[in-house]
């Protein structure tokens, strides 16, 4: 009987021999920093640091740079050959648009629902996908952010993701984050709408609107593995999947913003298309609950 050939398939299709390993730490305290977004510069390859700050990327380090990005720290770009220990410098964010006052909570309204819902799920890797919520004068009556909901599909218990809240900068891009610390949440197993309380942050809806995004964490806690053998070639493959998946609606929008490769990317309608303004995009199913 022929011996089986074992082939390990990693994220982005790189082999076991081509790996970049290291640990991310706070430059002041020396403590590990969990859930740091890490990208290979100018490539669609990324990962996330574990709770102990350790990370692994399946890519050859030769002549490449890594981009380290996480809330509360300065973004850092460093040669991949020198990342055995990466120290990030803490920063303080200016939260000018955050108004701290007391909510009554007698009224609430859910915003972000679409007229036609076609749910799909995608493995978006460590990329941050956003949804834009424009401001309307009627929100003055329910100006406080009470809850955020996100529709997920998970095959494991207690998978975790990051949820981000961004201001709108002068160019219309996602700007500074509203929160000064990571908002890491745990989602339930199955296909379900998860709701998370925001009242402790005392956030109000800004008049320029708000971007809400999610970030998948490529960590061991979220990983599942499945072994598949091709009966024709007798090659055994181990497929790795990171949960949860977030479901998307296929909707008409003027733009789409995603964060990958250490920068924000804007997609708009092509000039030669039939419609001059809008395009059809896959937008994450994220809604907000406002209250008074």
């Amino acid at each position: 009987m022929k011996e089986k050939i074992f082939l390990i398939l990693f994220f982005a299709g790189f082999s076991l021999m081509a790996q970049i390993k290291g640990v991310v730490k706070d430059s002041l305290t020396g403590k590990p920093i969990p859930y740091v977004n890490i990208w290979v510069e100018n490539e669609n390859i990324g990962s996330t640091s574990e709770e102990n700050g350790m990370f692994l990327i399946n890519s050859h380090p030769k002549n490449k740079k890594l981009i380290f990005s996480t809330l509360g720290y300065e973004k850092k770009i460093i040669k991949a050959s020198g990342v055995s220990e990466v120290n990030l410098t803490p920063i303080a964010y200016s939260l000018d648009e955050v108004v701290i006052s007391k909510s009554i909570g007698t009224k609430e309204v859910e915003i972000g629902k679409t007229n036609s819902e076609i749910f799909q799920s995608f493995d978006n890797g460590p990329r941050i996908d956003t949804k834009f919520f424009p401001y309307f004068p009627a929100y003055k009556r329910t100006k406080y952010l009470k809850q955020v909901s996100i529709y997920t599909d998970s095959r494991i218990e207690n998978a975790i993701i990051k949820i981000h809240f961004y201001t709108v900068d002068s160019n219309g891009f996602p700007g500074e984050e509203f929160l000064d610390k990571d908002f890491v949440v745990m989602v339930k197993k199955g296909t379900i709408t998860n709701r998370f309380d925001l009242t402790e942050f005392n956030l109000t809806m800004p008049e320029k609107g708000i971007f809400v995004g999610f970030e998948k964490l490529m960590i061991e806690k979220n990983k599942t593995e499945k072994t598949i053998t091709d009966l024709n070639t007798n090659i055994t493959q181990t497929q790795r999947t990171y949960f949860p998946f977030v479901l998307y609606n296929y909707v008409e929008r003027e733009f789409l913003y995603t964060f990958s490769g250490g920068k924000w990317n804007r997609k708009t309608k092509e000039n030669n298309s039939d419609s001059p303004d809008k395009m059809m995009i896959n937008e994450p199913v994220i809604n907000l609950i406002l209250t008074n």
Side-chain angles (χ1 to χ4, degrees):
M1 186 174 72
K2 295 182 179 180
E3 293 184 358
K4 290 184 179 179
I5 300 174
F6 289 89
L7 176 63
I8 307 298
L9 295 184
F10 289 97
F11 176 66
F14 284 83
S15 69
L16 182 61
M17 292 186 296
Q19 292 184 342
I20 304 171
K21 299 180 181 180
V23 61
V24 189
K25 294 183 179 181
D26 186 298
S27 63
L28 299 181
T29 66
K31 294 182 178 180
I33 308 176
Y35 315 138
V36 176
N37 187 298
I38 307 166
W39 282 89
V40 178
E41 188 177 37
N42 299 321
E43 295 186 22
N44 191 30
I45 305 170
S47 187
T48 311
S49 65
E50 299 284 345
E51 292 185 2
N52 61 2
M54 300 295 295
F55 68 91
L56 182 152
I57 296 181
N58 297 288
S59 178
H60 197 284
K62 185 178 181 180
N63 300 325
K64 294 183 179 180
K65 293 182 179 180
L66 298 186
I67 303 171
F68 295 81
S69 174
T70 192
L71 180 60
Y73 292 88
E74 293 181 359
K75 183 170 70 174
K76 190 167 188 175
I77 303 175
I78 189 172
K79 290 183 179 179
S81 57
V83 296
S84 58
E85 181 174 312
V86 179
N87 294 293
L88 300 185
T89 303
I91 59 175
Y93 283 94
S94 174
L95 305 179
D96 295 336
E97 294 194 52
V98 177
V99 179
I100 299 179
S101 56
K102 188 176 181 180
S103 169
I104 301 174
T106 57
K107 299 179 181 178
E108 66 177 48
V109 59
E110 184 171 3
I111 62 174
K113 290 184 176 181
T114 63
N115 294 328
S116 58
E117 298 180 333
I118 305 174
F119 299 126
Q120 304 175 74
S121 62
F122 304 96
D123 189 352
N124 76 322
R127 187 180 72 232
I128 301 175
D129 288 349
T130 66
K131 178 175 179 177
F132 178 64
F133 294 82
Y135 177 83
F136 295 101
Y139 294 163
K140 288 183 178 180
R141 302 174 184 175
T142 52
K143 63 180 182 179
Y144 296 94
L145 274 62
K146 180 179 181 179
Q147 290 182 335
V148 59
S149 69
I150 185 165
Y151 195 13
T152 60
D153 180 10
S154 181
R155 296 293 180 263
I156 62 175
E157 293 284 1
N158 303 327
I160 59 176
I161 58 173
K162 280 186 189 180
I163 299 180
H164 298 267
F165 304 88
Y166 301 99
T167 63
V168 181
D169 71 10
S170 58
N171 296 315
F173 278 69
E176 294 183 351
E177 298 219 34
F178 275 88
L179 305 181
D180 58 1
K181 60 181 180 180
D182 283 333
F183 189 50
V184 179
V185 297
M186 187 178 296
V187 305
K188 298 177 181 178
K189 185 178 181 179
T191 304
I192 190 171
T193 298
N194 303 268
R195 298 183 182 274
F196 304 103
D197 183 62
L198 302 175
T199 54
E200 65 175 294
F201 304 118
N202 295 302
L203 301 179
T204 59
M205 186 72 176
E207 294 188 1
K208 290 184 178 180
I210 187 172
F211 286 97
V212 182
F214 80 95
E215 178 181 350
K216 176 173 284 191
L217 303 179
M218 315 293 289
I219 57 176
E220 290 295 313
K221 179 181 176 68
N222 290 342
K223 184 183 73 175
T224 64
E225 293 185 339
K226 183 178 181 181
T227 302
I228 300 175
T229 301
D230 189 313
L231 298 179
N232 295 321
T233 63
N234 210 31
I235 295 178
T236 297
Q237 299 177 338
T238 300
Q239 296 181 338
R240 293 182 177 179
T241 303
Y242 293 88
F243 287 102
F245 287 163
V246 170
L247 279 78
Y248 291 67
N249 279 324
Y250 193 55
V251 293
E252 190 178 45
R253 294 287 184 261
E254 295 180 6
F255 52 76
L256 171 67
Y257 288 96
T258 61
F259 185 87
S260 64
K263 62 182 180 180
W264 285 106
N265 303 282
R266 173 187 170 102
K267 181 179 180 181
T268 56
K269 191 75 173 181
E270 296 180 358
N271 294 331
N272 59 357
S273 58
D274 295 334
S275 175
D277 298 320
K278 296 185 179 182
M279 60 182 176
M280 298 303 296
I281 66 167
N282 290 300
E283 180 181 75
V285 184
I286 299 173
N287 294 342
L288 290 173
I289 306 294
L290 304 181
T291 190
N292 63 334

